[in-house]
Amino acid sequence: MNYETARQFLIDQGTALETKINPDAFLMRLEQGKPPIPGQATNILLALKISFEMLQGDPLLDRELVAGLYLLAMESLKLFEAGRRKGVMWPPLLKEDIERISIAVKNIFSGVWPTDK
């Protein structure tokens, strides 16, 4: 996955609730109480890492990407919690995946990607 593909993928995933283009987008599936497609969270995390590496040191981020990232991080957690309150049985690691997505978005905004020790 190159940066342009990763960027567009993240924008599409983050704005899915607004555009309603892709019924299988991460946020659309969460809104419907469905688990992500296998590998979907991994692809999002990969796209976030690629974006971080490409944007590292860039003092400006484009608004379209920022909006997509923000929505992806915020809405995924909200939809997860709303589903949980409604009794949706989410996959066991989904909450951790959503937390990783939120952390990766924060890292892109801050320009710092923590290293594992």
Side-chain angles (χ1 to χ4, degrees):
M1 183 181 303
N2 63 27
Y3 171 68
E4 283 304 318
T5 303
R7 178 187 175 279
Q8 193 57 54
F9 176 70
L10 292 169
I11 291 168
D12 292 346
Q13 294 297 308
T15 61
L17 296 176
E18 296 170 356
T19 63
K20 307 277 188 204
I21 293 172
N22 181 1
D24 285 328
F26 188 72
L27 294 179
M28 294 288 288
R29 292 186 63 85
L30 294 180
E31 183 181 54
Q32 297 164 11
K34 297 178 182 175
I37 294 170
Q40 196 168 29
T42 301
N43 285 336
I44 290 170
L45 290 165
L46 174 62
L48 288 165
K49 180 67 171 165
I50 289 167
S51 296
F52 172 82
E53 290 171 356
M54 191 66 175
L55 297 169
Q56 191 174 16
D58 192 342
L60 302 174
L61 301 176
D62 72 88
R63 288 177 190 248
E64 187 178 26
L65 177 60
V66 168
L69 293 174
Y70 175 80
L71 290 169
L72 184 60
M74 298 303 293
E75 294 299 322
S76 60
L77 185 56
K78 284 182 192 176
L79 293 169
F80 175 85
E81 291 298 332
R84 192 177 54 78
R85 284 191 300 274
K86 290 179 184 176
V88 174
M89 297 300 295
W90 296 116
L93 298 178
L94 181 57
K95 183 166 175 113
E96 287 82 0
D97 286 338
I98 290 172
E99 289 171 354
R100 283 186 202 91
I101 289 168
S102 294
I103 290 167
V105 168
K106 177 185 154 250
N107 294 341
I108 289 171
F109 290 164
S110 71
V112 177
W113 196 277
T115 55
D116 295 332
K117 294 182 180 181

